[in-house]
Amino acid sequence: MNTHRNPLSRIITISILFLLLFGIFAYAGGSQEVKDEKVRLTVGFRDGEALDSLAVDMAWKTSYMGLEFWHIVYNQLWGIGPSPDYDPVPLLATSWETEDHITWIFHLDEDAVWQDGTPVTADDVGFSLYYLPKAIPATYLGPGTDVASWEAIDDKTVKIVLNAAVNDGKYPIPLWTPILPKHIFEPYKDTFSDYPNEAPVGNGPFKVKEFAPSEYLWLEADENYWGEKAGVDEIVFQTFGSDDALYAALKSGEIDMITSTGASPQIAADLDKDPNISVIRSPGLNNLWISFNTYSATPLADKDFRKAFMYSIDKDNIIDLVYMGYAEKANSFIYPEMDTYNDQIPVYDNDLDKAAALLDTAGYTDTDGDGLRNDPATGENVNIELMVSSSATADVKMASLIKENLLRSGIEVTVKAVDLATYWEFIVSAKSDGYQAAIAYGDPGPNGNWVWNYADSQTGWNTAAYANPEYDEILAKMISAPDYETQKAYIKQLQAILAEDLPYGLLVRPESLDPVRTDRLEGWVQSMGGLTSYINPWTFSSVHPK
């Protein structure tokens, strides 16, 4: 196990002292009743998945601990409900309505309060939805968050006016945006992240008890929470320095579950043999792909080269060797089981003949007889740098296989493994030419319209630096479509354009494998993406003692 400061040790020490003191009182003839030990859920995280600050910044969306922290300390207006229906569930808002998908009215829960006792008001909602996307556009700007104005009709009713209509089917706006306390953040409305937020005041079922950056986050249930109370008293998010340490902690009972990255397929079968552990399999939420930096001054700017690159990859090989069969091929941002999936788009399965033909026609031939293709612009051997997060073990293995695959087409690949912070710094700044290609991922979920921002030339999520006016035009029409059938047609067009231009080369959709201790707790909530994810915070509130 890692050797950093551990909140579990402190908890155990306090418990022992309490019991010793109680023993003294009982021996003296006292009749005090021992209070039951607090019920605690302990969740294991890997290095690189933890928060190094609680400030409102990109880490709330890009780190696993950040994703799970803010969903249970801060509420959204609504959430995506559990499977199989994934219906919208009221949270801060009890109801909502719109006639034109531009003007939205939200009615807030009359009992909703901040953890400092201040009521949650329409001003808090309007303030958060208006300023957050403007202050941190790369993280919060997307469909339903481009707010033109807002008005507090009364303390518990807010009117949100968008700059353009947004129709997200059965789901209201906005997607994936926390509501923050205006009375705390108003001085920081242009930046938000300048406020250290060392003692967060949320409106969710849990509040922060103690935080050690990059090590652990200790949460406790808010006894004054205005909504449904959680089934545990405390949650500890604990970081471990290696997968071996993480799995050992699960086996020993030091932790109850592993965060949304779950277990690797290689270890899942071993863990499942433990009578106190169960590995729960769920459909995957993540699609993995190669993000091609089309801005980069490399052959990747040529879409025929990108197509040859993808035809050179053996996805079956990746599924067998990296995921031990616990994955399926991916060809689109959209999952195949969804009614918006376009089953007519090109599928880039392994085909070395097609790869060779594309490369030959584009002039990438072996001009010096060394078995490697040369760049017609420079005469040098083609060598593509493939970036990957060093903390993503499966991604590193996949990158190695891709390197082997591409050599069969005469293309050299250099795998560049970097820490997670550096990875995100490069990938969200494609036009800085800091990376050439990267293994990336997205988890569109049941209401995946936000995922199209990855190719929108106007947003910071576009890690491929891709720009296509036709795509942008259809995307705008899709977002404001008057009905769902029209919207589906536009979504299928978007898939066709991306499959042809290939700024992103889809790879695989892994299953979620969640190992949990079953000797103490129950009530795990299963969903697409497993027991915890950005669409599934329900486990943290529902899990309870057996």
Side-chain angles (χ1 to χ4, degrees), residues 376-416:
T378 65
E380 301 292 329
N381 285 345
V382 174
N383 190 315
I384 301 300
E385 187 176 85
L386 179 61
M387 184 176 68
V388 63
S389 167
S390 57
S391 62
T393 306
D395 293 3
V396 173
K397 292 179 181 178
M398 182 159 41
S400 296
L401 290 178
I402 290 172
K403 176 178 179 176
E404 294 176 8
N405 290 168
L406 267 293
L407 271 178
R408 297 179 304 169
S409 290
I411 298 172
E412 277 190 306
V413 170
T414 299
V415 177
K416 180 180 180 181

Side-chain angles (χ1 to χ4, degrees), residues 7 11 38-43 45 51 54 65 68-74 115 200 205-211 216-222 232-238 540:
I11 293 166
K38 287 187 175 181
V39 178
R40 186 175 306 110
L41 169 67
T42 308
V43 186
F45 287 77
L51 287 167
L54 299 181
M65 189 180 288
E68 302 190 356
F69 150 73
W70 79 259
H71 276 95
I72 55 177
V73 174
Y74 297 89
Q115 289 163 356
F206 289 89
K207 57 185 180 180
V208 175
K209 181 174 183 177
E210 190 172 306
F211 174 60
Y216 67 83
L217 177 61
W218 188 354
L219 306 170
E220 59 184 350
D222 182 3
V232 295
D233 299 308
E234 296 183 338
I235 296 177
V236 173
F237 291 163
Q238 180 73 54
F540 295 124

Side-chain angles (χ1 to χ4, degrees), residues 331-352:
N331 299 304
S332 168
F333 285 156
I334 302 299
Y335 311 121
E337 69 267 26
M338 300 188 72
D339 62 359
T340 51
Y341 177 72
N342 185 346
D343 60 5
Q344 301 300 310
I345 60 175
V347 174
Y348 295 94
D349 275 345
N350 187 222
D351 191 323
L352 296 183

